[in-house]
Amino acid sequence: MSKKNKPEKHDDFGGFRAGFSVLVGRPNAGKSTLTNALVGKKVAITSAKPQTTRHTIRGIVHRQDAQLILVDTPGLHRPRTLLGKRLNDLVADTLAEVDAIGFCLPANEKIGPGDKFIAAQLAAAGRKPVIAIVTKADTVDRQALTEQLLAVAALGREVLGEEGWKDIVPVSATDGFQVDTVADVLISHMPPSPPLYPDGELTDEPEAVMVAELIREAALEGVRDELPHSLAVVVEEIVPREDRPEDSPLLDVRVNLYVERPSQKAIIIGKGGSRLREVGTNARKGIEALLGTRIYLDLHVKVAKDWQRDPKQLVKLGF
Ligand SMILES: Nc1nc2c(ncn2[C@@H]2O[C@H](COP(=O)(O)OP(=O)(O)OP(=O)(O)O)[C@@H](O)[C@H]2O)c(=O)[nH]1
Ligand SMILES: [Mg+2]
């Protein structure tokens, strides 16, 4: 590179900003739904069950003058299993690598010990800007929202001192209220930088992981108690079916669903296989949209005894 073309030491990249923001919060706070709303496409699965997200997911927001890479994380909580501890460690590692932190607190739940536990960890994480995001604003009336914003501000002063959070933004991911504002605020904390991802790329999730997640999302629908936590999904292979006409390809997608006990296997499969068929039908639509091809989905349910507490099995299942 000739000297002339070398970037200046204080190059501001023509005003372009790019960087990483992590979204943290209790399980079920609405992090993944907000990630999808900001990206404008579903990159993370969501559900009414806590602990839906189990690995960090990057979603990318493209603007004319900025690129915001969102890192959606598993909900933080006091861990009860080895899996829970691994997920918390994952979030802690992520905090160290980002430019700003979005702390999600739902508008419709009182601030509790769980939120204070996270707030204390954020305060300990150093001088990263923390933006409090009050999610699910559509679920409460104006007065309740105002009260929650005040309570969140007070929590910020409690853990960070007089200055508190860098910003507090109420948002509704489901009706779009203030979604752009959340992006604006996070982007304002990104450093000058050239774009970090190719234009138009919305996530760096591998396809096989997205496929497994769509199946887990479908399987979470309608199950109760411990089962959501006990479920893990692994895509074994995605292969093109041979002897198909060129204009009508078909992919064979072979997938294992792992549960922790035989009784759970029976629930997932359902009477005469009815539940598993339903899961397949519901997941297939999303997977075909993702891959842009028709698929044949081959689902198998297996028991991996107490995998959430077993270091060896955790590794096998990708944790
Ligand atoms: N009404 C309303 N519901 C929301 C909103 N955002 C999320 N939800 C619901 O809240 C539940 C949890 O949402 P998720 O996005 O999966 O929450 P999460 O924080 O990613 O949860 P974990 O991955 O388990 O930590 C789901 O049932 C969502 O539909 C919102 O803006 N308004
Ligand atoms: Mg999530």
Side-chain angles (χ1 to χ4, degrees), residues 5-68:
N5 292 334
K6 246 187 195 159
E8 296 275 314
K9 200 157 178 228
H10 299 290
D11 198 340
D12 70 351
F13 304 102
F16 203 92
R17 289 172 184 275
F20 292 80
S21 284
V22 68
L23 295 179
V24 297
R26 277 188 304 175
N28 226 21
K31 301 175 293 297
S32 299
T33 309
L34 179 60
T35 300
N36 291 338
L38 286 161
V39 173
K41 196 180 164 220
K42 178 168 171 146
V43 294
I45 65 165
T46 64
S47 90
K49 318 270 182 326
Q51 270 194 67
T52 298
T53 305
R54 284 191 183 149
H55 61 281
T56 54
I57 297 166
R58 285 179 188 179
I60 303 147
V61 180
H62 297 269
R63 290 268 178 94
Q64 199 67 36
D65 55 354
Q67 203 174 67
L68 173 67

Side-chain angles (χ1 to χ4, degrees), residues 150-319:
L150 290 172
V152 167
L155 176 65
R157 288 192 298 272
E158 196 180 309
V159 293
L160 291 172
E162 211 25 59
E163 221 185 297
W165 314 117
K166 280 275 181 276
D167 256 306
I168 305 177
V169 189
V171 65
S172 165
T174 51
D175 69 14
F177 167 69
Q178 295 246 106
V179 169
D180 284 341
T181 309
V182 171
D184 291 343
V185 170
L186 292 174
I187 285 170
S188 74
H189 293 285
M190 296 300 110
S193 159
L196 302 171
Y197 281 86
D199 200 20
E201 189 164 318
L202 300 181
T203 182
D204 62 359
E205 284 286 278
E207 264 176 4
V209 174
M210 301 262 277
V211 168
E213 288 288 86
L214 288 169
I215 293 162
R216 194 160 62 85
E217 184 178 55
L220 285 175
E221 195 61 44
V223 295
R224 290 181 298 136
D225 305 327
E226 282 300 300
L227 215 162
H229 300 290
S230 295
L231 184 65
V233 179
V234 177
V235 171
E236 293 298 328
E237 59 176 4
I238 303 179
V239 287
R241 175 84 57 94
E242 282 174 25
D243 304 328
R244 291 282 302 183
E246 218 171 89
D247 58 353
S248 164
L250 183 78
L251 290 173
D252 276 302
V253 180
R254 272 186 268 284
V255 179
N256 287 331
L257 286 78
Y258 291 92
V259 289
E260 296 194 287
R261 290 186 290 282
S263 59
Q264 296 173 329
K265 180 172 171 176
I267 295 171
I268 287 284
I269 292 175
K271 214 168 174 206
S274 58
R275 244 205 115 249
L276 193 61
R277 265 198 304 280
E278 207 178 300
V279 168
T281 307
N282 290 339
R284 201 178 62 226
K285 292 176 201 137
I287 297 170
E288 289 186 336
L290 173 74
L291 301 178
T293 321
R294 283 188 50 213
I295 63 162
Y296 178 78
L297 195 52
D298 188 17
L299 302 178
H300 294 270
V301 184
K302 303 192 170 197
V303 177
K305 201 169 170 304
D306 292 329
W307 66 262
Q308 285 188 81
R309 295 166 199 279
D310 179 346
K312 265 208 205 122
Q313 305 226 58
L314 280 174
V315 171
K316 209 177 111 195
L317 294 173
F319 295 102

